[in-house]
Every structure is written in structure tokens, then in C-alpha cells.
Amino acid sequence: MVSKKTSKKQDLIFLKDLPITKLKPGIETRLHDPAKNLKDKEFIYKALLECLIAGDKEAFMEIIDSHYEALNKVKVLKELNLSRRTYYAAIKEGSNPSFDTIMKLLKGISKAS
């Protein structure tokens, strides 16, 4: 029995090639601004608490990174006296940031509004 050869190349998907879906009449849509939630410190605190309860370190650091992306990251890091190198080392997947670094990052969330 001869096995089929499969191409190692992945098929590219382009936005223009996706089908257009029509909504049913009467359905209204509204714009969604994810930055609005990512700047809300209460929302971030709740999400971080859920990560702590679940024991999900990667999601915890991803939420912190997303929050700082929504803010002016450089300005906040300067206020915290935290270097960008330390910040990126802390949020990198598989990293093991110090407790002091995590505390500084959490302090930055409480300063941001």
C-alpha cells in the first residue's frame, strides 16, 4: 500500500478569502474595545485572582502583559523603577520572576487608572 505524500507547506488563509456572513434582520451590533477592559484595574484584579486560584502562572503573566500593553508601558515602568529588560524577562513564557518583580508589576496596576 502506497502512502500519500502530504505537503509540509501550510495553506495560507487571507482575510479577503473568508466568506461574508450576513446577520439576520433586526440584529444589532456594537463595537467592542478590549483596551477598555484591559485598562480597568478592578477587571484585571479579578482576572489575576482567578489565575491564582487556578494556579495558572502563564495566564497570570499574560494578563499583566496585556494590561501594560493597553497602558503606556514605558511610562509606568519608569514610575515603578523597573527596567524593560526585567519586565520582558518576567513575562517571558517559562520564566520564574522574583516575588519583588511581581509585586512591582501589581503596584503598577494599582497606580494606573
Side-chain angles (χ1 to χ4, degrees):
M1 181 172 185
V2 178
S3 63
K4 287 185 177 181
K5 288 187 178 182
T6 57
S7 173
K8 297 286 182 188
K9 278 186 167 179
Q10 292 183 350
D11 291 332
L12 297 176
I13 298 173
F14 294 100
L15 187 59
K16 65 178 181 166
D17 296 334
L18 293 175
I20 296 174
T21 305
K22 302 266 185 193
L23 295 177
K24 293 179 183 176
I27 303 282
E28 292 185 25
T29 61
R30 59 181 174 191
L31 293 176
H32 173 66
D33 182 16
K36 182 180 175 186
N37 284 342
L38 290 173
K39 290 180 181 179
D40 179 12
K41 64 182 176 183
E42 295 301 320
F43 177 80
I44 296 297
Y45 282 140
K46 287 178 185 177
L48 291 174
L49 181 60
E50 288 181 21
C51 290
L52 287 175
I53 291 169
D56 194 348
K57 177 184 161 188
E58 282 76 26
F60 185 89
M61 295 311 290
E62 187 176 325
I63 290 168
I64 289 176
D65 183 38
S66 298
H67 175 70
Y68 278 90
E69 284 291 327
L71 301 173
N72 184 349
K73 184 186 328 186
V74 175
K75 180 182 172 189
V76 177
L77 292 176
K78 274 186 181 178
E79 289 176 7
L80 295 174
N81 198 21
L82 190 67
S83 71
R84 282 185 280 161
R85 182 180 181 145
T86 303
Y87 170 78
Y88 285 113
I91 63 166
K92 187 174 77 173
E93 190 174 332
S95 68
N96 195 13
S98 71
F99 189 69
D100 290 338
T101 302
I102 293 173
M103 292 305 293
K104 282 184 179 183
L105 291 171
L106 292 175
K107 185 178 178 183
I109 292 171
S110 66
K111 283 186 174 187
S113 298

